Amino acid sequence: MSAPVKGNTTASNPTPASSSFTISHNMNTGSDGLIILMLTMSNVRNYSGATYGGQAMTQLYSINRGGLSQRMAFFSLQNPPTGNNNMVISFSGSVFNPISIFIHSFTGSGGIG
């Protein structure tokens, strides 16, 4: 089995001032696609979900780092639609603090995720 090939990366540090945030990401073409979404924000709110190209992503990990006043989460989606699509991140309420967003695409993942 060959190793996954890293594709496109999208990074942003917006302040949504809303209960959701939409960002465009370009998923590279290839077999066994995988997108990983990594998020960090203030722990005042929580993540309530994420979609890519209209497909629900699976939350893999979430932690509230109370001492840092931060909440982190990881989401994934296997075999996402290729090309430019919207990533929509939803929160438990309006977020008025900056969030850190990192989106990584892979091909040849072989079901990793």
Side-chain angles (χ1 to χ4, degrees):
M1 177 184 219
S2 61
V5 176
K6 186 176 177 297
N8 297 315
T9 299
T10 301
S12 184
N13 293 101
T15 302
S18 166
S19 61
S20 68
F21 182 75
T22 301
I23 185 169
S24 180
H25 176 75
N26 189 4
M27 175 63 196
N28 47 305
T29 303
S31 61
D32 293 327
L34 176 70
I35 286 185
I36 301 289
L37 167 64
M38 296 167 278
L39 301 164
T40 302
M41 70 177 189
S42 167
N43 64 359
V44 174
R45 298 284 184 255
N46 200 354
Y47 307 101
S48 59
T51 62
Y52 179 73
Q55 296 182 20
M57 299 183 74
T58 301
Q59 187 169 341
L60 301 173
Y61 176 81
S62 179
I63 188 167
N64 181 357
R65 298 193 181 274
L68 297 173
S69 298
Q70 292 181 338
R71 186 176 306 279
M72 299 171 62
F74 287 72
F75 291 83
S76 74
L77 179 62
Q78 293 182 353
N79 298 312
T82 58
N84 230 7
N85 292 283
N86 284 332
M87 174 80 68
V88 180
I89 305 159
S90 301
F91 311 104
S92 62
S94 292
V95 175
F96 294 99
N97 295 312
I99 60 174
S100 294
I101 300 170
F102 295 96
I103 307 166
H104 297 282
S105 296
F106 299 89
T107 56
S109 67
I112 296 171

PDB file of all heavy atoms in Angstrom, residues 58-79:
ATOM      1  N   THR A  58     -17.545  13.741   9.588  1.00  0.00           N
ATOM      2  CA  THR A  58     -17.528  12.999  10.845  1.00  0.00           C
ATOM      3  C   THR A  58     -16.594  13.685  11.831  1.00  0.00           C
ATOM      4  O   THR A  58     -15.436  13.968  11.503  1.00  0.00           O
ATOM      5  CB  THR A  58     -17.033  11.553  10.610  1.00  0.00           C
ATOM      6  OG1 THR A  58     -17.906  10.926   9.672  1.00  0.00           O
ATOM      7  CG2 THR A  58     -16.997  10.762  11.895  1.00  0.00           C
ATOM      8  N   GLN A  59     -17.103  13.962  13.031  1.00  0.00           N
ATOM      9  CA  GLN A  59     -16.237  14.544  14.054  1.00  0.00           C
ATOM     10  C   GLN A  59     -15.391  13.431  14.658  1.00  0.00           C
ATOM     11  O   GLN A  59     -15.915  12.442  15.170  1.00  0.00           O
ATOM     12  CB  GLN A  59     -17.051  15.235  15.135  1.00  0.00           C
ATOM     13  CG  GLN A  59     -16.177  15.977  16.116  1.00  0.00           C
ATOM     14  CD  GLN A  59     -16.962  16.882  17.044  1.00  0.00           C
ATOM     15  OE1 GLN A  59     -18.097  17.247  16.766  1.00  0.00           O
ATOM     16  NE2 GLN A  59     -16.365  17.227  18.157  1.00  0.00           N
ATOM     17  N   LEU A  60     -14.066  13.583  14.562  1.00  0.00           N
ATOM     18  CA  LEU A  60     -13.143  12.573  15.061  1.00  0.00           C
ATOM     19  C   LEU A  60     -12.687  12.846  16.486  1.00  0.00           C
ATOM     20  O   LEU A  60     -12.355  11.919  17.225  1.00  0.00           O
ATOM     21  CB  LEU A  60     -11.893  12.519  14.169  1.00  0.00           C
ATOM     22  CG  LEU A  60     -12.110  12.207  12.699  1.00  0.00           C
ATOM     23  CD1 LEU A  60     -10.814  12.364  11.936  1.00  0.00           C
ATOM     24  CD2 LEU A  60     -12.672  10.807  12.541  1.00  0.00           C
ATOM     25  N   TYR A  61     -12.634  14.123  16.853  1.00  0.00           N
ATOM     26  CA  TYR A  61     -12.012  14.496  18.117  1.00  0.00           C
ATOM     27  C   TYR A  61     -12.529  15.861  18.535  1.00  0.00           C
ATOM     28  O   TYR A  61     -12.735  16.733  17.690  1.00  0.00           O
ATOM     29  CB  TYR A  61     -10.492  14.544  17.901  1.00  0.00           C
ATOM     30  CG  TYR A  61      -9.668  15.002  19.075  1.00  0.00           C
ATOM     31  CD1 TYR A  61      -9.346  14.130  20.099  1.00  0.00           C
ATOM     32  CD2 TYR A  61      -9.188  16.301  19.137  1.00  0.00           C
ATOM     33  CE1 TYR A  61      -8.561  14.546  21.174  1.00  0.00           C
ATOM     34  CE2 TYR A  61      -8.402  16.726  20.199  1.00  0.00           C
ATOM     35  CZ  TYR A  61      -8.090  15.840  21.218  1.00  0.00           C
ATOM     36  OH  TYR A  61      -7.323  16.255  22.259  1.00  0.00           O
ATOM     37  N   SER A  62     -12.725  16.032  19.827  1.00  0.00           N
ATOM     38  CA  SER A  62     -13.084  17.336  20.370  1.00  0.00           C
ATOM     39  C   SER A  62     -12.572  17.409  21.798  1.00  0.00           C
ATOM     40  O   SER A  62     -12.689  16.440  22.551  1.00  0.00           O
ATOM     41  CB  SER A  62     -14.603  17.526  20.352  1.00  0.00           C
ATOM     42  OG  SER A  62     -14.940  18.773  20.903  1.00  0.00           O
ATOM     43  N   ILE A  63     -11.990  18.547  22.144  1.00  0.00           N
ATOM     44  CA  ILE A  63     -11.499  18.716  23.508  1.00  0.00           C
ATOM     45  C   ILE A  63     -11.665  20.173  23.926  1.00  0.00           C
ATOM     46  O   ILE A  63     -11.492  21.082  23.116  1.00  0.00           O
ATOM     47  CB  ILE A  63     -10.026  18.266  23.660  1.00  0.00           C
ATOM     48  CG1 ILE A  63      -9.614  18.266  25.127  1.00  0.00           C
ATOM     49  CG2 ILE A  63      -9.111  19.128  22.806  1.00  0.00           C
ATOM     50  CD1 ILE A  63      -8.296  17.554  25.394  1.00  0.00           C
ATOM     51  N   ASN A  64     -12.048  20.359  25.179  1.00  0.00           N
ATOM     52  CA  ASN A  64     -12.145  21.694  25.761  1.00  0.00           C
ATOM     53  C   ASN A  64     -10.907  21.878  26.636  1.00  0.00           C
ATOM     54  O   ASN A  64     -10.770  21.224  27.654  1.00  0.00           O
ATOM     55  CB  ASN A  64     -13.417  21.825  26.582  1.00  0.00           C
ATOM     56  CG  ASN A  64     -13.576  23.211  27.182  1.00  0.00           C
ATOM     57  OD1 ASN A  64     -12.717  24.071  27.043  1.00  0.00           O
ATOM     58  ND2 ASN A  64     -14.683  23.417  27.858  1.00  0.00           N
ATOM     59  N   ARG A  65     -10.007  22.735  26.215  1.00  0.00           N
ATOM     60  CA  ARG A  65      -8.792  23.021  26.982  1.00  0.00           C
ATOM     61  C   ARG A  65      -9.082  24.227  27.883  1.00  0.00           C
ATOM     62  O   ARG A  65      -8.751  25.358  27.539  1.00  0.00           O
ATOM     63  CB  ARG A  65      -7.624  23.271  26.051  1.00  0.00           C
ATOM     64  CG  ARG A  65      -7.307  22.062  25.197  1.00  0.00           C
ATOM     65  CD  ARG A  65      -5.959  22.219  24.522  1.00  0.00           C
ATOM     66  NE  ARG A  65      -5.650  21.081  23.681  1.00  0.00           N
ATOM     67  CZ  ARG A  65      -5.082  19.971  24.094  1.00  0.00           C
ATOM     68  NH1 ARG A  65      -4.775  19.805  25.358  1.00  0.00           N
ATOM     69  NH2 ARG A  65      -4.823  18.986  23.250  1.00  0.00           N
ATOM     70  N   GLY A  66      -9.743  23.933  29.012  1.00  0.00           N
ATOM     71  CA  GLY A  66     -10.207  24.977  29.918  1.00  0.00           C
ATOM     72  C   GLY A  66      -9.115  25.923  30.379  1.00  0.00           C
ATOM     73  O   GLY A  66      -9.324  27.122  30.480  1.00  0.00           O
ATOM     74  N   GLY A  67      -7.918  25.385  30.681  1.00  0.00           N
ATOM     75  CA  GLY A  67      -6.820  26.222  31.137  1.00  0.00           C
ATOM     76  C   GLY A  67      -6.368  27.228  30.088  1.00  0.00           C
ATOM     77  O   GLY A  67      -5.850  28.291  30.417  1.00  0.00           O
ATOM     78  N   LEU A  68      -6.573  26.908  28.815  1.00  0.00           N
ATOM     79  CA  LEU A  68      -6.213  27.804  27.713  1.00  0.00           C
ATOM     80  C   LEU A  68      -7.418  28.578  27.188  1.00  0.00           C
ATOM     81  O   LEU A  68      -7.284  29.386  26.275  1.00  0.00           O
ATOM     82  CB  LEU A  68      -5.602  27.001  26.558  1.00  0.00           C
ATOM     83  CG  LEU A  68      -4.302  26.263  26.858  1.00  0.00           C
ATOM     84  CD1 LEU A  68      -3.915  25.383  25.682  1.00  0.00           C
ATOM     85  CD2 LEU A  68      -3.194  27.240  27.185  1.00  0.00           C
ATOM     86  N   SER A  69      -8.602  28.269  27.725  1.00  0.00           N
ATOM     87  CA  SER A  69      -9.871  28.853  27.254  1.00  0.00           C
ATOM     88  C   SER A  69     -10.078  28.600  25.769  1.00  0.00           C
ATOM     89  O   SER A  69     -10.582  29.450  25.045  1.00  0.00           O
ATOM     90  CB  SER A  69      -9.923  30.363  27.543  1.00  0.00           C
ATOM     91  OG  SER A  69      -9.855  30.600  28.924  1.00  0.00           O
ATOM     92  N   GLN A  70      -9.679  27.401  25.307  1.00  0.00           N
ATOM     93  CA  GLN A  70      -9.807  27.026  23.895  1.00  0.00           C
ATOM     94  C   GLN A  70     -10.527  25.701  23.745  1.00  0.00           C
ATOM     95  O   GLN A  70     -10.454  24.833  24.601  1.00  0.00           O
ATOM     96  CB  GLN A  70      -8.433  26.891  23.233  1.00  0.00           C
ATOM     97  CG  GLN A  70      -7.681  28.165  23.085  1.00  0.00           C
ATOM     98  CD  GLN A  70      -6.350  27.935  22.409  1.00  0.00           C
ATOM     99  OE1 GLN A  70      -5.807  26.837  22.394  1.00  0.00           O
ATOM    100  NE2 GLN A  70      -5.803  28.989  21.837  1.00  0.00           N
ATOM    101  N   ARG A  71     -11.199  25.578  22.624  1.00  0.00           N
ATOM    102  CA  ARG A  71     -11.849  24.332  22.232  1.00  0.00           C
ATOM    103  C   ARG A  71     -11.267  23.930  20.881  1.00  0.00           C
ATOM    104  O   ARG A  71     -11.128  24.758  19.990  1.00  0.00           O
ATOM    105  CB  ARG A  71     -13.352  24.549  22.116  1.00  0.00           C
ATOM    106  CG  ARG A  71     -14.139  23.294  21.854  1.00  0.00           C
ATOM    107  CD  ARG A  71     -15.627  23.573  21.843  1.00  0.00           C
ATOM    108  NE  ARG A  71     -16.117  24.242  23.031  1.00  0.00           N
ATOM    109  CZ  ARG A  71     -16.401  23.647  24.194  1.00  0.00           C
ATOM    110  NH1 ARG A  71     -16.230  22.370  24.332  1.00  0.00           N
ATOM    111  NH2 ARG A  71     -16.864  24.347  25.208  1.00  0.00           N
ATOM    112  N   MET A  72     -10.915  22.644  20.735  1.00  0.00           N
ATOM    113  CA  MET A  72     -10.347  22.133  19.488  1.00  0.00           C
ATOM    114  C   MET A  72     -11.209  20.990  18.976  1.00  0.00           C
ATOM    115  O   MET A  72     -11.828  20.268  19.762  1.00  0.00           O
ATOM    116  CB  MET A  72      -8.928  21.620  19.716  1.00  0.00           C
ATOM    117  CG  MET A  72      -7.963  22.664  20.202  1.00  0.00           C
ATOM    118  SD  MET A  72      -6.368  21.975  20.710  1.00  0.00           S
ATOM    119  CE  MET A  72      -5.812  21.286  19.163  1.00  0.00           C
ATOM    120  N   ALA A  73     -11.227  20.821  17.644  1.00  0.00           N
ATOM    121  CA  ALA A  73     -11.966  19.706  17.057  1.00  0.00           C
ATOM    122  C   ALA A  73     -11.336  19.323  15.722  1.00  0.00           C
ATOM    123  O   ALA A  73     -10.715  20.146  15.046  1.00  0.00           O
ATOM    124  CB  ALA A  73     -13.437  20.067  16.851  1.00  0.00           C
ATOM    125  N   PHE A  74     -11.496  18.045  15.365  1.00  0.00           N
ATOM    126  CA  PHE A  74     -11.070  17.510  14.077  1.00  0.00           C
ATOM    127  C   PHE A  74     -12.277  16.840  13.437  1.00  0.00           C
ATOM    128  O   PHE A  74     -13.012  16.113  14.104  1.00  0.00           O
ATOM    129  CB  PHE A  74      -9.975  16.453  14.248  1.00  0.00           C
ATOM    130  CG  PHE A  74      -8.641  17.003  14.635  1.00  0.00           C
ATOM    131  CD1 PHE A  74      -8.406  17.504  15.901  1.00  0.00           C
ATOM    132  CD2 PHE A  74      -7.606  16.994  13.712  1.00  0.00           C
ATOM    133  CE1 PHE A  74      -7.177  17.997  16.263  1.00  0.00           C
ATOM    134  CE2 PHE A  74      -6.361  17.488  14.067  1.00  0.00           C
ATOM    135  CZ  PHE A  74      -6.148  17.994  15.340  1.00  0.00           C
ATOM    136  N   PHE A  75     -12.481  17.085  12.139  1.00  0.00           N
ATOM    137  CA  PHE A  75     -13.532  16.442  11.353  1.00  0.00           C
ATOM    138  C   PHE A  75     -12.890  15.813  10.129  1.00  0.00           C
ATOM    139  O   PHE A  75     -11.843  16.274   9.660  1.00  0.00           O
ATOM    140  CB  PHE A  75     -14.563  17.478  10.880  1.00  0.00           C
ATOM    141  CG  PHE A  75     -15.416  18.063  11.964  1.00  0.00           C
ATOM    142  CD1 PHE A  75     -14.964  19.119  12.749  1.00  0.00           C
ATOM    143  CD2 PHE A  75     -16.691  17.570  12.201  1.00  0.00           C
ATOM    144  CE1 PHE A  75     -15.751  19.679  13.742  1.00  0.00           C
ATOM    145  CE2 PHE A  75     -17.495  18.123  13.198  1.00  0.00           C
ATOM    146  CZ  PHE A  75     -17.022  19.174  13.961  1.00  0.00           C
ATOM    147  N   SER A  76     -13.522  14.775   9.574  1.00  0.00           N
ATOM    148  CA  SER A  76     -13.019  14.170   8.338  1.00  0.00           C
ATOM    149  C   SER A  76     -14.174  13.803   7.415  1.00  0.00           C
ATOM    150  O   SER A  76     -15.318  13.660   7.849  1.00  0.00           O
ATOM    151  CB  SER A  76     -12.188  12.912   8.634  1.00  0.00           C
ATOM    152  OG  SER A  76     -13.027  11.842   9.003  1.00  0.00           O
ATOM    153  N   LEU A  77     -13.826  13.650   6.140  1.00  0.00           N
ATOM    154  CA  LEU A  77     -14.786  13.192   5.138  1.00  0.00           C
ATOM    155  C   LEU A  77     -14.029  12.352   4.121  1.00  0.00           C
ATOM    156  O   LEU A  77     -13.070  12.836   3.509  1.00  0.00           O
ATOM    157  CB  LEU A  77     -15.482  14.367   4.449  1.00  0.00           C
ATOM    158  CG  LEU A  77     -16.492  14.013   3.355  1.00  0.00           C
ATOM    159  CD1 LEU A  77     -17.655  13.196   3.923  1.00  0.00           C
ATOM    160  CD2 LEU A  77     -17.000  15.282   2.681  1.00  0.00           C
ATOM    161  N   GLN A  78     -14.445  11.094   3.977  1.00  0.00           N
ATOM    162  CA  GLN A  78     -13.835  10.218   2.982  1.00  0.00           C
ATOM    163  C   GLN A  78     -14.536  10.389   1.642  1.00  0.00           C
ATOM    164  O   GLN A  78     -15.749  10.577   1.585  1.00  0.00           O
ATOM    165  CB  GLN A  78     -13.924   8.761   3.423  1.00  0.00           C
ATOM    166  CG  GLN A  78     -13.078   8.462   4.639  1.00  0.00           C
ATOM    167  CD  GLN A  78     -13.146   7.001   5.039  1.00  0.00           C
ATOM    168  OE1 GLN A  78     -13.915   6.219   4.496  1.00  0.00           O
ATOM    169  NE2 GLN A  78     -12.335   6.629   6.007  1.00  0.00           N
ATOM    170  N   ASN A  79     -13.760  10.325   0.574  1.00  0.00           N
ATOM    171  CA  ASN A  79     -14.245  10.448  -0.803  1.00  0.00           C
ATOM    172  C   ASN A  79     -15.122  11.684  -1.005  1.00  0.00           C
ATOM    173  O   ASN A  79     -16.243  11.597  -1.487  1.00  0.00           O
ATOM    174  CB  ASN A  79     -14.982   9.175  -1.225  1.00  0.00           C
ATOM    175  CG  ASN A  79     -14.056   7.983  -1.195  1.00  0.00           C
ATOM    176  OD1 ASN A  79     -12.947   8.042  -1.718  1.00  0.00           O
ATOM    177  ND2 ASN A  79     -14.492   6.909  -0.566  1.00  0.00           N
TER     178      ASN A  79
END
